[in-house]
C-alpha cells in the first residue's frame, strides 16, 4: 500500500494563528454546520470521525 502524507509536519496541537485563510474558512463552515445540526457533542464527534476516515480513504485511493 502506498503511503500518503497525513500532515505537513505540524504538531498535534494546532492554533488558529497557524492556519491559512482557506483553512480557517473551512473550520468556520464545519463549526457552523455542526451547531446547526442540533446533535449532541458525541454524535457530532462520531460524524466528524467518520468523515475524517472517509476523506483519508479517498486520499489513499487517489494516490494509488
Amino acid at each position: 500500500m502506498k503511503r500518503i502524507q497525513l500532515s505537513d509536519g505540524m504538531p498535534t496541537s494546532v492554533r488558529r494563528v497557524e492556519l491559512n485563510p482557506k483553512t480557517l474558512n473551512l473550520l468556520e463552515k464545519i463549526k457552523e454546520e455542526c451547531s446547526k445540526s442540533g446533535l449532541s457533542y458525541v454524535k457530532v464527534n462520531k460524524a466528524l470521525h467518520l468523515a475524517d476516515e472517509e476523506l483519508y480513504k479517498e486520499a489513499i485511493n487517489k494516490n494509488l
Side-chain angles (χ1 to χ4, degrees):
M1 177 184 289
K2 187 174 182 175
R3 289 185 173 202
I4 63 168
Q5 184 176 347
L6 296 179
S7 71
D8 54 5
M10 294 172 59
T12 55
S13 178
V14 178
R15 297 180 318 167
R16 282 178 168 270
V17 295
E18 298 168 337
L19 302 178
N20 65 39
K22 287 179 85 171
T23 306
L24 282 170
N25 186 39
L26 177 61
L27 170 64
E28 291 305 321
K29 286 180 181 179
I30 291 168
K31 285 178 55 181
E32 183 180 327
E33 289 303 315
C34 289
S35 294
K36 288 194 306 189
S37 74
L39 296 171
S40 70
Y41 175 80
V42 172
K43 289 183 179 181
V44 167
N45 196 40
K46 286 180 181 180
L48 291 171
H49 177 78
L50 185 56
D52 181 55
E53 180 182 337
E54 291 175 3
L55 289 168
Y56 171 75
K57 288 177 181 176
E58 283 179 27
I60 289 175
N61 289 330
K62 286 180 184 176
N63 287 306
L64 290 180

